[in-house]
Amino acid sequence: MASQNPIAPSPAAGIYGGSVFANVVQAPEDPILGVTVAYNKDPSPVKVNLGVGAYRTEEGKPLVLNVVRRAEQLLVNDPSRVKEYLPITGLADFNKLSAKLIFGADSPAIQENRVATVQCLSGTGSLRVGGEFLARHYHERTIYIPQPTWGNHPKVFTLAGLSVKTYRYYDPTTRGLNFEGLLADLSAAPPGAIVLLHACAHNPTGVDPTLDQWEQIRLLMRSKGLLPFFDSAYQGFASGNLDADAQSVRMFVADGGECLTAQSYAKNMGLYGERVGALSIVCKSADVATRVESQLKLVIRPMYSNPPIHGASIVATILKDRELYHEWTIELKAMADRIINMRQQLFDALRARGTPGDWSHIIKQIGMFTFTGLNTEQVTFMTKEYHIYMTSDGRISMAGLSSKTVPHLVDAIHAAVTRMK
Ligand code: KET
């Protein structure tokens, strides 16, 4: 009899049209990564992808840094390299060097052994592990994120178990920082609340506080006991200098207080697909840091057990060798400079074309993105008519642009702002 056969189809299977998942609804594409999906489907030869924040060369090609190729060669040629599991916390060298990179070689927090660093799956994974640690062990479960911010932030923190609120950040009328709004909202936050800060090159606005404003933010946050959680996804991409771009974080560490930092090597080493990053929690004492690290292991182990070895080995190889490190800083600066050059070219071309509007924000904003001010309808129009792909909030990745594609983008923007006000 069929019913006695353990691999016979269940009589219930047919109820759902053959699949027990038949009632699963189609989910929307991701607002950022979905732009690349749509771009890949478009057969147009003039299409340009300015969606995802990923560096492209003048020829529009993805770039593997020369220093990364060199480090990979060294790794491949080293027969002592094995593929064993890493510890739950990742590669020890990588963790030490990552903390040094963001906090500075002479950071007292590092010297006093009060930083717990764990290797995570790039910036996203670091934010997620940090968020989950806070949800389990920190007394205040509300995290304030800037308005606007990277679209994944609210989802990552909500799923980690935190409650997400926003603070004012950007003023669309000035296309600059809404500093008064920011201070007012952080002043009104409950004592102890967590505050997500972009260490530099704020995504999507390209607007960062000045050092003076950072100092005021620090004073306010420390006076209210607000806990800083830095997202550092673009160290080196704002100014072209790794130390200058870590200033905000270092100010908060220098005062002896506690903070979290999520680092990503996706952009600054071009290691997007290697998924290599680090979460550091700066604590008041070495003893606390040790206990914090023990709990981070309990967050990580049931989530993905331990992190991948290859990307972290590349980063550690580069960071610990003077010459490779130097070569990296030069290649990083070249990427940052090309983006600055694209800003100037786009600005000049819009001016020369007489496109209505003040486009000076293109050269004032910093980092990988320009927050153009184009609205959703204008973006849809540019995609449909000109095959320009960008996120619906009007953000364009300057790194996706080249001298060759600037004229086409200017045509598209000109048509969008003159035809669709
Ligand atoms: N933080 C910020 C601010 C950020 O822009 C990104 C990525 C990340 C973290 C995470 O990057 P990871 O690859 O996990 O290290 N932003 C670009 C890519 C993406 O959306 O995944 C983007 O905004 O285009």
Side-chain angles (χ1 to χ4, degrees):
M1 264 171 70
S3 60
Q4 284 167 339
N5 178 349
I7 56 163
S10 143
I15 297 171
Y16 299 99
S19 171
V20 292
F21 304 117
N23 53 356
V24 171
V25 296
Q26 180 69 35
E29 288 285 358
D30 181 79
I32 298 175
L33 301 184
V35 174
T36 302
V37 176
Y39 168 85
N40 287 338
K41 282 188 196 148
D42 185 343
S44 167
V46 298
K47 65 180 179 177
V48 186
N49 188 2
L50 306 177
V52 67
Y55 186 81
R56 297 285 177 268
T57 63
E58 253 299 295
E59 290 70 45
K61 297 267 173 347
L63 178 70
V64 179
L65 298 186
N66 197 40
V67 72
V68 166
R69 296 250 191 244
R70 280 183 65 195
E72 285 188 309
Q73 274 309 329
L74 291 171
L75 294 171
V76 167
N77 294 337
D78 179 354
S80 72
R81 293 264 157 194
V82 291
K83 303 285 188 188
E84 286 291 284
Y85 289 131
L86 284 180
I88 297 171
T89 52
L91 196 67
D93 264 3
F94 165 86
N95 288 338
K96 278 200 204 85
L97 293 158
S98 293
K100 237 172 90 177
L101 184 69
I102 189 73
F103 302 125
D106 52 0
S107 166
I110 295 176
Q111 280 154 15
E112 293 155 18
N113 285 321
R114 47 188 183 81
V115 185
T117 304
V118 290
Q119 181 192 331
C120 294
L121 302 188
S122 212
T124 310
S126 308
L127 293 165
R128 175 63 194 255
V129 170
E132 210 160 307
F133 168 82
L134 291 170
R136 287 193 201 178
H137 299 284
Y138 186 58
H139 65 90
E140 172 57 59
R141 294 204 171 73
T142 307
I143 184 163
Y144 282 76
I145 61 174
Q147 175 65 269
T149 191
W150 181 49
N152 214 16
H153 277 149
K155 302 172 198 174
V156 168
F157 293 125
T158 303
L159 283 172
L162 298 172
S163 149
V164 175
K165 293 212 167 109
T166 59
Y167 62 88
R168 278 171 284 173
Y169 188 84
Y170 181 74
D171 183 349
T173 53
T174 62
R175 295 209 169 101
L177 186 69
N178 181 353
F179 190 52
E180 297 307 314
L182 179 153
L183 292 180
D185 290 349
L186 295 189
S187 298
I194 309 153
V195 180
L196 190 279
L197 301 159
H198 293 227
C200 71
H202 182 275
N203 174 15
T205 67
V207 175
D208 283 356
T210 62
L211 283 182
D212 197 51
Q213 288 169 331
W214 272 120
E215 176 58 11
Q216 290 183 61
I217 296 169
R218 187 189 69 77
L219 285 170
L220 170 67
M221 286 184 57
R222 291 310 194 198
S223 74
K224 289 206 59 176
L226 302 174
L227 182 65
F229 192 160
F230 282 98
D231 182 351
S232 178
Y234 300 94
Q235 190 183 355
F237 258 98
S239 67
N241 182 292
L242 288 156
D243 292 311
D245 286 359
Q247 276 304 104
S248 57
V249 177
R250 291 179 192 177
M251 284 166 72
F252 278 77
V253 177
D255 68 14
E258 295 175 302
C259 72
L260 290 82
T261 305
Q263 282 171 272
S264 167
Y265 290 96
K267 330 274 171 166
N268 60 13
M269 262 192 212
L271 293 174
Y272 306 89
E274 295 291 353
R275 311 308 297 144
V276 54
L279 170 73
S280 285
I281 306 190
V282 177
C283 307
K284 283 267 165 122
S285 70
D287 174 49
V288 174
T290 306
R291 283 182 278 133
V292 164
E293 189 189 296
S294 74
Q295 288 295 340
L296 287 171
K297 287 160 72 172
L298 297 193
V299 174
I300 292 167
R301 171 67 167 150
M303 203 191 288
Y304 55 86
S305 196
N306 48 65
I309 197 167
H310 187 66
S313 305
I314 296 171
V315 174
T317 304
I318 293 169
L319 294 186
K320 75 173 151 211
D321 182 280
R322 256 182 104 87
E323 197 219 318
L324 292 178
Y325 183 90
H326 181 66
E327 184 175 343
W328 175 43
T329 61
I330 290 170
E331 288 190 85
L332 177 57
K333 175 90 169 52
M335 289 194 285
D337 284 348
R338 197 185 84 73
I339 293 173
I340 292 168
N341 188 264
M342 281 305 115
R343 290 186 182 282
Q344 195 64 48
Q345 285 193 29
L346 179 60
F347 173 71
D348 291 347
L350 283 165
R351 282 266 281 251
R353 182 70 188 264
T355 304
D358 170 14
W359 298 97
S360 61
H361 55 288
I362 296 177
I363 43 178
K364 282 188 207 137
Q365 293 172 356
I366 55 170
M368 222 170 201
F369 305 107
T370 291
F371 206 42
T372 59
L374 294 163
N375 61 39
T376 312
E377 290 73 42
Q378 289 167 330
V379 171
T380 309
F381 167 84
M382 286 168 59
T383 306
K384 195 159 163 270
E385 303 294 328
Y386 288 84
H387 308 274
I388 305 263
Y389 288 80
M390 54 196 279
T391 51
S392 62
D393 58 1
R395 182 191 91 166
I396 58 178
S397 171
M398 297 308 287
L401 205 57
S402 73
S403 308
K404 276 182 235 103
T405 50
V406 165
H408 182 58
L409 176 60
V410 168
D411 284 347
I413 295 177
H414 191 88
V417 299
T418 49
R419 283 197 237 159
M420 334 232 345
K421 289 192 180 130

